[in-house]
């Protein structure tokens, strides 16, 4: 396999023309795209994003870029979670055409996204920018991944990390022994397995269900990125928050129905592709950092701060997990249709390792430093 080194701001200019040309030919061959025209398109957008969240801001930036690049010929009718599709049904809504575009957490449909559930394997990366750009690159660089996106009738617009994993509880959690004593709302199938490994309990819940579950005592503690403390008001009911050193653990995905994309005129396909390439080389994560940095101020008005585990405690959890979850991911991804899953995991790790580490510090760590 061939790997490509990249700096933090990876640019796709060299490959975008080839990719777009391929899309244009595919559209014509399939009776889809046409050479151009002046038709206007209003695309339905099913979103899980809560008002004021980083995901809403990222979504709005992508929409703005698309509408600007197409001179307003593509616009969007955005529906919030539950209005058109429930948050955990959005991937299927996009696949079957009830929505043209959708955004939600990919863990709600892990069987569709083995290419991105790889992020849920703990202790692989701390770097949000590297994770984001690597997933976008591998969506075309790895043949099996590209085939699976097409097979699932989805055009990948972007998958960005939700943020560093934080643990929220009533009492301080500083070790795997503390984790093992509690029932968790844990996100990500392999993070759930990591919790099982050390003897803790998992309760399967979507993000919007979590606040009530904590109030009713269904769960004792939760795992969320910093955005969740604000978007789901978890800072108001759980006073103790800590970073266990796991880093990136899940992604939020955004997709377009592939048939819809292929049905656009060629010039609009090219505009969408160009925006996607630009969006995934920096702007999405810039918006993420801007919003989550502001969220820190809101969080610190309610809780004393975000703690960080001693590195030795993190190492103990990593040692307990070992490489079993990587092997499990390969088996699961293969079962879910990803050809050469082992090769994909190798490419993912190699691309992360080649990424320029001189990035802006994660807002979650910055916020922890303010405690």
């Amino acid at each position: 396999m061939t790997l490509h080194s990249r700096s933090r701001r990876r640019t796709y200019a060299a490959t975008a023309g080839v990719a777009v040309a391929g899309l244009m030919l595919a559209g014509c061959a399939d009776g889809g795209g046409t050479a151009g025209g002046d038709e206007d398109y209003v695309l339905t957008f099913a979103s899980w994003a809560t008002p004021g969240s980083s995901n809403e801001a990222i979504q709005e930036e992508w929409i703005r870029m698309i509408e600007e690049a197409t001179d307003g010929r593509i616009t969007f009718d955005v529906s919030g979670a539950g209005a058109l599709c429930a948050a955990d049904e959005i991937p299927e809504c996009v696949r079957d055409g009830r929505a043209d575009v959708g955004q939600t957490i990919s863990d709600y449909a892990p069987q569709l996204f083995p290419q991105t559930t790889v992020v849920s394997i703990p202790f692989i990366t701390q770097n949000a920018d590297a994770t984001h750009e690597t997933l976008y690159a591998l969506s075309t660089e790895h043949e099996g991944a590209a085939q699976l996106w097409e097979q699932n009738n989805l055009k990948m617009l972007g998958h960005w990390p939700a943020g560093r994993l934080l643990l929220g509880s009533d009492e301080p959690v500083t070790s795997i022994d503390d984790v093992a004593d509690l029932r968790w709302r844990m996100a990500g199938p392999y993070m759930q397995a990591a919790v099982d490994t050390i003897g803790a309990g998992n309760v399967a819940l979507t993000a919007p269900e979590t606040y009530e579950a904590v109030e009713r005592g269904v769960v004792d503690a939760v795992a969320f990125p910093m955005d969740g403390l604000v978007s789901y008001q978890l800072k108001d009911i759980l006073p103790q928050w800590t970073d266990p050193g796991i880093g990136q653990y899940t992604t939020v995905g955004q997709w377009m129905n592939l048939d819809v994309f292929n049905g656009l005129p060629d010039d609009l396909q090219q505009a969408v592709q160009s925006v996607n390439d630009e969006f995934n080389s920096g702007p999405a994560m810039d918006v993420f950092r801007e919003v989550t940095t502001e969220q820190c101020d809101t969080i610190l008005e309610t809780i004393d701060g975000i703690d960080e585990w001693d590195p030795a405690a993190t190492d103990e959890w990593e040692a307990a997990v070992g490489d079993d979850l990587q092997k499990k991911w390969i088996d699961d991804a293969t079962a879910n249709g990803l050809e050469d899953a082992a090769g994909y995991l190798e490419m993912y790790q190699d691309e992360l390792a080649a990424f320029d580490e001189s990035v802006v510090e994660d807002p979650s760590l910055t916020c922890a430093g303010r405690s």
Side-chain angles (χ1 to χ4, degrees):
M1 64 191 66
T2 302
L3 301 174
H4 307 282
S5 298
R6 57 176 55 81
S7 64
R8 184 169 85 91
R9 288 291 181 261
R10 173 172 182 153
T11 60
Y12 297 87
T15 59
V18 175
V20 170
L23 288 169
M24 291 167 64
L25 291 173
C28 292
D30 293 339
T34 59
D38 56 3
E39 301 95 335
D40 294 336
Y41 297 84
V42 179
L43 303 185
T44 57
F45 194 131
S47 175
W48 83 312
T50 55
S53 66
S54 61
N55 297 309
E56 181 187 56
I58 292 170
Q59 167 188 303
E60 289 180 347
E61 176 63 9
W62 182 82
I63 288 174
R64 182 198 66 77
M65 292 172 68
I66 291 289
E67 292 183 348
E68 180 179 289
T70 63
D71 293 325
R73 288 175 57 204
I74 295 180
T75 56
F76 298 89
D77 180 10
V78 180
S79 298
L84 180 60
C85 310
D88 56 349
E89 295 178 355
I90 288 174
E92 285 295 339
C93 284
V94 177
R95 290 184 72 205
D96 65 25
R98 281 174 286 167
D100 300 318
V101 183
Q103 183 206 97
T104 195
I105 191 167
S106 56
D107 291 330
Y108 290 159
Q111 74 282 0
L112 292 179
F113 305 115
Q115 313 96 308
T116 63
T117 57
V118 67
V119 178
S120 181
I121 304 172
F123 309 109
I124 286 185
T125 181
Q126 306 283 324
N127 191 320
D129 289 67
T131 304
H132 175 223
E133 296 189 29
T134 294
L135 291 177
Y136 186 69
L138 293 188
S139 69
T140 55
E141 289 181 5
H142 185 273
E143 183 176 352
Q147 290 175 347
L148 191 55
W149 285 115
E150 183 174 356
Q151 177 183 316
N152 285 330
N153 197 34
L154 294 171
K155 178 168 179 60
M156 195 258 230
L157 306 177
H159 270 258
W160 53 89
R164 293 178 64 88
L165 180 79
L166 302 177
L167 305 179
S169 55
D170 282 320
E171 300 296 330
V173 171
T174 62
S175 69
I176 60 174
D177 290 336
D178 293 337
V179 173
D181 288 338
L182 303 173
R183 291 168 301 161
W184 290 88
R185 185 275 176 186
M186 182 68 62
Y190 303 99
M191 270 311 306
Q192 291 169 353
V195 167
D196 290 337
T197 297
I198 58 176
N202 278 300
V203 179
L205 296 167
T206 63
E209 296 172 315
T210 304
Y211 186 99
E212 183 179 356
V214 173
E215 283 199 317
R216 293 170 52 204
V218 175
V219 295
D220 305 311
V222 305
F224 269 84
M226 202 162 72
D227 188 270
L229 279 69
V230 177
S231 296
Y232 300 105
Q233 296 83 47
L234 296 173
K235 63 181 177 55
D236 299 333
I237 55 174
L238 292 171
Q240 301 292 330
W241 290 88
T242 188
D243 185 330
I246 285 168
Q248 309 309 319
Y249 72 103
T250 192
T251 65
V252 176
Q254 192 165 292
W255 324 275
M256 183 180 290
N257 179 286
L258 185 58
D259 291 336
V260 169
F261 176 79
N262 286 337
L264 294 172
D266 292 338
D267 60 332
L268 294 186
Q269 288 187 26
Q270 181 173 352
V272 171
Q273 185 64 45
S274 296
V275 166
N276 290 341
D277 290 344
E278 179 184 357
F279 181 72
N280 286 283
S281 65
M285 294 309 297
D286 289 342
V287 171
F288 171 83
R289 267 188 293 274
E290 179 180 354
V291 174
T292 51
T293 297
E294 294 172 355
Q295 287 174 335
C296 179
D297 294 333
T298 302
I299 290 168
L300 295 182
E301 290 173 358
T302 305
I303 67 173
D304 291 336
I306 298 172
D307 298 323
E308 296 179 75
W309 274 20
D310 186 293
T314 302
D315 291 344
E316 185 179 7
W317 198 350
E318 183 174 4
V321 169
D323 61 1
D324 289 348
L325 295 185
Q326 294 189 29
K327 295 174 181 176
K328 176 175 170 52
W329 178 85
I330 291 172
D331 291 341
D332 291 345
T334 300
N336 288 325
L338 179 61
E339 295 186 9
D340 183 31
Y344 183 93
L345 178 58
E346 181 182 351
M347 289 181 72
Y348 173 71
Q349 292 174 301
D350 287 349
E351 296 246 347
L352 290 175
F355 201 86
D356 182 359
E357 291 294 331
S358 59
V359 298
V360 178
E361 187 172 272
D362 190 288
S364 183
L365 291 176
T366 302
C367 194
R370 291 175 56 187
S371 303

